[in-house]
Amino acid sequence: MDSNAQMRSQTAAKSPRSGRDYIARHGETVFNAAGRLQGEHLHTPLTRAGFAQADEMGRALREKLGPKPALTLWASPTGRALQTLAVIAEHLDLDWHAARTDSRLVEIDTGDWGGRYYTDLAAEGLTVVDRATGLLHPAPNGEDYPAIAERVSGWLADTDGDAGDRLVILHGISSRVLRGVMTGGADLPGYGAPALPGLPQGSLVQIEHGVETVLHRGAGHAPA
């Protein structure tokens, strides 16, 4: 059995966490609005629309969980994820400073395409987005999907002991793979990793005992 297959087998064999996981995609950023590939870029701030999307997620979680819920806060260490979390935490009356970050929650590494405009890449005859799935094609010197699945699975294994519910803020592609792993999804043909359907920026899902429920569908957009 190869290492990726062994990893998936071990993941599938584990019992789901007892708590609920709220997985959120950050709000729209200046890169999203400009049509630029964002990838692993650390600091691309939210737009006004992005802040509004974070507000909507905060209100949705407040309505479901009430003030000061017993919720462990996790985020990608990127500025856009932490900005989104700050707004949501304010709605919940929770301390943003108590949040934990992990580099394994970052977005797909877009390699040689990082920071470039989608339109410029298309003008060069490059196909960046798989229209059938909405996923980004792996970029030259970038990251492939088995690598994303391996790192988010590693994060899941290392944080399996988190007690109770938690909120996790991350990105379009990495959240799709994380959600796929958490729900035991099958590998997508040609990608070698699971990935659930994409949701707009500012979307929020609940995963409990391996079952996903969409709690809030954001008003954002992006190919991934």
Side-chain angles (χ1 to χ4, degrees):
M1 180 182 295
D2 65 41
S3 59
N4 286 331
Q6 185 176 24
M7 176 195 71
R8 291 192 297 272
S9 176
Q10 291 171 346
T11 301
K14 290 189 65 174
S15 299
R17 289 181 63 252
S18 58
R20 295 169 294 186
D21 284 288
Y22 297 98
I23 311 297
R25 182 180 181 187
H26 66 74
E28 181 191 76
T29 72
V30 294
F31 267 47
N32 295 143
R36 295 178 66 183
L37 276 152
Q38 199 158 212
E40 73 285 6
H41 281 261
L42 283 179
H43 302 303
T44 53
L46 300 183
T47 61
R48 286 184 296 171
F51 279 110
Q53 291 154 14
D55 263 324
E56 291 169 2
M57 289 191 289
R59 284 192 288 269
L61 264 185
R62 172 79 176 221
E63 182 177 344
K64 181 171 182 63
L65 301 177
K68 296 187 181 298
L71 199 61
T72 302
L73 304 178
W74 279 99
S76 157
T78 59
R80 56 198 185 271
L82 291 168
Q83 281 185 308
T84 300
L85 177 58
V87 174
I88 296 174
E90 185 176 349
H91 277 279
L92 299 175
D93 296 330
L94 295 178
D95 183 4
W96 176 88
H97 295 92
R100 308 176 195 178
T101 63
D102 195 297
S103 60
R104 291 172 292 186
L105 298 174
V106 298
E107 184 57 303
I108 184 173
D109 184 335
T110 51
D112 294 351
W113 294 348
R116 298 197 61 194
Y117 289 92
Y118 286 93
T119 53
D120 289 347
L121 292 167
E124 294 173 14
L126 298 170
T127 303
V128 177
V129 181
D130 179 348
R131 297 297 176 187
T133 62
L135 293 170
L136 297 178
H137 289 294
N141 297 310
E143 189 176 31
D144 63 17
Y145 285 81
I148 301 172
E150 183 173 6
R151 62 175 163 85
V152 299
S153 295
W155 175 79
L156 285 169
D158 289 348
T159 62
D160 191 56
D162 283 354
D165 299 341
R166 61 187 180 183
L167 170 65
V168 188
I169 313 290
L170 67 170
H171 307 271
I173 295 293
S174 57
S175 68
R176 291 182 63 177
V177 177
L178 176 65
R179 291 161 49 218
V181 170
M182 292 180 73
T183 56
D187 289 354
L188 291 181
Y191 286 93
L196 290 195
L199 293 169
Q201 297 137 354
S203 293
L204 175 71
V205 305
Q206 173 188 291
I207 297 179
E208 184 176 15
H209 302 307
V211 177
E212 177 178 283
T213 304
V214 177
L215 296 182
H216 178 77
R217 188 175 182 87
H221 59 85

